[in-house]
Amino acid sequence: MPNGATWSDAEKKKRLLVLVNPAAGKGNDVSAYERDVAPVLECAFDRARIDVVVTTRRGEAQERVASMDLQNTAAVVCVGGDGTIAEVFNGLMSRGGAAEKFPIGMIPAGSGNAIAKSLAHAGGEPCDRASAALAVARGHIAPAGNGDAAATAATASVMHSLLSFSWGFFADVDIESETMRWLGGLRFTIQAIVRILFLRRYSAKLRFKPLAITPDAVPAGKKSKELAIGQEPKEAAAVAAMDGASAGDAIADRPGWREIEGDVQGLWALNLPWGGEDMYAAPGAAPDDGCYDLLVIAGASRLSLLGLLLIFDGGAHCTHPAVTYVKASAFELDPGPSHTGKGGFIAVDGELVARADGKWGRTRRQARSPSHWSPYDPVGVVNADP
Ligand SMILES: Nc1ncnc2c1ncn2[C@@H]1O[C@H](COP(=O)(O)OP(=O)(O)OP(=O)(O)O)[C@@H](O)[C@H]1O
């Protein structure tokens, strides 16, 4: 369905599958769905055609979507956070074909809500349940990933990503803050401060294929390239930092690739501009630009990281001396352990990536235990959009 279109009569006769994750955010109250979302959805779909499923465990949303009747369903609506959307997206991608372009409605009810925030920002809408419900009821569909999704060749399995790939500082903050889920989005800030105070040092080898940003290279309709020409001062400053040619060392046997090796503290690769509702992490990112925006932190002191944390909400971190910000069509990460032997997680769309041998990361409790620590194998991430 093109942007701006609304549900056709034929689609309105289909069913709407609503998946409510009661564990998302501070603990999703199903009555909040009934109060804020259901009445709006019922403007477009007959109540009897709306199937509401409250998930009972991790993985259920993915399983349901993997086996649902696509022909008779108009869309899947996620009431949860990025993890819920990631499950639904992976469930659809596992089916292949038309399922890969199946509409997903996103009602922000998680801690980060980065995907919903990015889409709301692009549409000039506020990121809240009622506005998102209205967007679903209107049937306005925007591309959010299929043409630009990463096939993440992680060690244990292939994971498809709409939003992000993170390692080191960024993933540790995300994964280790899950015990503070009751705090909502504040859990990220608190855990980031903890991680800065008890700083871990990591080593890694990061290889990436940067995209040269020049006004001449701007394909029509590509938002991130429009930003590169500079429409908003803050964003233009951030995009100015995306000079792939000056980031990293050239790799002799791989033309066009660069390498950063050594004291790399964290990598956050984003497919969308917002990394959380108040984290304008990658101002130049767009869902359909065929690349990831890489944020690499290397050699930063505690003070420097604290300073970074304070300016993350507006995008100014991109020009910080400790940050390399570059657009890349592919990248490979060979992560080493942290000097404490703890953390060093990899997360895709905020979800922990398990290791291939299953010895570590089989459960989150195991993953957090240093006795289970061993490094990941190298991970390659490519963009599905050539
Ligand atoms: N009934 C349930 N009990 C426990 N976990 C669940 C249940 N249903 C779904 N989950 C899992 O809850 C996890 C967290 O959900 P989600 O990511 O949507 O919320 P969040 O982490 O608060 O938000 P965000 O990812 O935006 O920060 C997901 O990994 C999902 O698989």
Side-chain angles (χ1 to χ4, degrees):
M1 190 184 301
N3 283 353
T6 53
W7 299 114
S8 66
D9 288 343
E11 284 161 331
K12 284 183 184 176
K13 288 193 181 117
K14 295 182 179 179
R15 306 197 73 79
L16 197 66
L17 175 60
V18 179
L19 296 167
V20 182
N21 177 354
K26 294 179 181 176
N28 225 342
D29 185 354
V30 180
S31 63
Y33 164 77
E34 293 290 349
R35 186 186 63 233
D36 300 335
V37 181
V40 185
L41 297 185
E42 285 164 21
C43 295
F45 287 84
D46 192 284
R47 189 182 179 94
R49 295 186 190 280
I50 302 176
D51 302 317
V52 182
V53 174
V54 180
T55 56
T56 56
R57 59 183 166 80
R58 183 180 297 276
E60 186 180 342
Q62 184 161 347
E63 287 164 19
R64 285 197 176 256
V65 165
S67 62
M68 76 178 178
D69 176 2
L70 286 180
Q71 292 298 325
N72 292 308
T73 307
V76 187
V77 178
C78 304
V79 184
D82 298 317
T84 310
I85 297 166
E87 274 199 25
V88 166
F89 183 60
N90 275 277
L92 290 170
M93 293 298 281
S94 71
R95 299 178 67 149
E100 295 182 3
K101 296 203 182 295
F102 198 77
I104 306 174
M106 302 169 188
I107 310 292
S111 317
N113 302 317
I115 300 173
K117 171 71 182 188
S118 296
L119 294 182
H121 176 88
E125 301 279 346
C127 181
D128 58 47
R129 289 177 207 224
S131 305
L134 203 58
V136 174
R138 284 193 197 123
H140 290 182
I141 296 177
N146 282 345
D148 197 22
T152 303
T155 51
S157 58
V158 172
M159 293 171 76
H160 296 280
S161 158
L162 272 177
L163 173 64
S164 65
F165 172 101
S166 57
W167 166 79
F169 179 82
F170 297 110
D172 289 3
V173 167
D174 200 345
I175 300 299
E176 292 178 340
S177 67
E178 290 201 351
T179 49
M180 296 183 282
R181 191 169 280 285
W182 50 277
L183 284 173
L186 191 59
R187 71 175 162 106
F188 302 121
T189 310
I190 291 178
Q191 189 61 29
I193 292 169
V194 170
R195 280 278 55 86
I196 290 170
L197 292 177
F198 301 95
L199 197 59
R200 291 175 183 147
R201 296 272 165 204
Y202 312 91
S203 58
K205 186 189 282 183
L206 172 68
R207 295 178 152 198
F208 57 94
K209 191 169 186 203
L211 195 80
I213 305 285
T214 61
D216 293 343
V218 181
K222 298 285 186 183
K223 271 189 190 151
S224 59
K225 314 302 186 311
E226 286 163 14
L227 284 180
I229 301 171
Q231 291 169 328
E232 294 178 39
K234 208 185 275 177
E235 291 166 346
V239 175
M242 294 189 293
D243 179 6
S246 64
D249 294 332
I251 305 176
D253 57 346
R254 294 171 83 176
W257 281 70
R258 323 286 302 182
E259 183 175 277
I260 296 175
E261 188 172 7
D263 177 22
V264 182
Q265 285 156 307
L267 165 69
W268 201 1
L270 290 115
N271 191 35
L272 294 172
W274 291 84
E277 272 189 73
D278 53 4
M279 276 184 279
Y280 200 22
D288 55 352
D289 63 357
C291 57
Y292 269 86
D293 284 28
L294 305 188
L295 277 178
V296 186
I297 300 184
S301 65
R302 283 191 179 84
L303 201 61
S304 185
L305 281 171
L306 215 49
L308 269 175
L309 194 65
L310 296 174
I311 54 176
F312 236 93
D313 58 343
H317 59 282
C318 300
T319 52
H320 191 281
V323 173
T324 300
Y325 181 26
V326 61
K327 292 182 95 66
S329 54
F331 63 94
E332 291 173 2
L333 176 73
D334 188 354
S338 69
H339 74 295
T340 60
K342 294 181 185 174
F345 299 122
I346 289 178
V348 170
D349 289 4
E351 299 297 296
L352 180 68
V353 173
R355 280 168 30 79
D357 59 14
K359 283 185 189 156
W360 178 72
R362 187 181 289 154
T363 67
R364 292 201 171 209
R365 189 181 291 275
Q366 278 186 357
R368 286 192 207 102
S369 162
S371 62
H372 286 277
W373 204 96
S374 61
Y376 284 96
D377 294 334
V379 176
V381 177
V382 292
N383 208 293
D385 202 15

